[in-house]
Amino acid sequence: MKRKIGVLSLGGTISMREASSGGIVPTLSGEELLEQFGVADPCLEVSVLSLRSLASAQLKVTDLLELAAKARELAPDVDGIVVTQGTDTIEETAFALDLWGPCDVPVVVTGAMRHPDAPGSDGAANFRDSIMAVSCESLVGLGAVVVMDGELHAARYVTKRHTATVRAFGSSPSGILGWVKEGSVDVLVDGLRPQLSSFALPCPRSHLPEVAVLKSWVGDDGRLASKLPEMGYAGVVVEGMGGGHVHPRAAESLEALCREMPVVISTRVVGSHVLRNTYGFIGSEIDLHRRGVMLGGWLTTGKLHLLMTAVLGTTPPSDYDFRQALQPFGGG
Ligand code: ASP
């Protein structure tokens, strides 16, 4: 019997063509992608649904929720799901699928760094690798996986590290999960499996809470942070410096903000983590934690944003505490 694969397409460079107005823009539908790239294995039956035709910076959290709901709906009828989209936010989409997507079939998100008409375009290879990866049962239980340039990355670890090269993705604090090579899929990290399963959280309330992201800067006076409650935000992720540090004036402002909404600190240091118990100066991680700021562990700012949105959006919100949700990521 043929194995069934579902493809959900959202747009991105993998679907882009030159526009008459200049530059490349999303053009190809999911069906056209399948037609253009094909599938190597005749034992696979691939169905396609075009959900969006956007650059990935144009996606909203509600688009990701809709995607996750579609993937859940599709899961009982297929053996694996591939999502095609832009690489700019591929890490957020994969993480959203970890949070809200199905956990019983392999889910892979892929894209391309070079559009289909560019010399050395990587779309066909990434697409075919992804189809092969989701048709392989060893991906079940690893959460959503990003497949790019022949490598498998766990949704929670993957980050984009280059804006243009084909080898643009890395995984940290753990490395890659494995490879797609020579017609097969090698998962190298079976020991990590228990830490990687999807969360399969309930889908949020119809009105999704809005979580803000602020980046701390040298001399940040905290004025922007103090404006968030009146702007209607329900929570905030603050990207701090070093181990999760901000200017003393910002620390005071964040303390006041903690009385109004959950505040979590991340770090701008790529591939690293927020400290917990090293620095005691005003604005340090110890000081911020005492003031009520939660520590974001090693999760990136963008993923903390989605995690907080997911938790605050759950009905009723108190059922699933955000501090508890941070624990698998070394935070809290
Ligand atoms: N540079 C992007 C991409 O690789 C554009 C996007 O994210 O849509 O697809």
Side-chain angles (χ1 to χ4, degrees), residues 294 319-328 332:
M294 288 178 268
D319 267 11
Y320 199 86
D321 184 46
F322 183 57
R323 199 178 287 278
Q324 181 192 329
L326 288 168
Q327 280 166 12

Side-chain angles (χ1 to χ4, degrees), residues 11-14 16 54-57 85-89 112-113 160 163:
T13 298
I14 193 166
M16 291 195 191
L54 296 172
S56 68
Q85 77 147 72
T87 58
D88 293 355
T89 64
M113 295 301 294
K160 186 171 183 177
T163 53

Side-chain angles (χ1 to χ4, degrees), residues 68-92:
K70 270 277 171 260
R72 275 195 191 191
E73 200 181 303
L74 204 59
D77 302 321
V78 295
D79 297 291
I81 297 173
V82 173
V83 176
T84 59
Q85 77 147 72
T87 58
D88 293 355
T89 64
I90 212 169
E91 57 205 69
E92 279 89 356

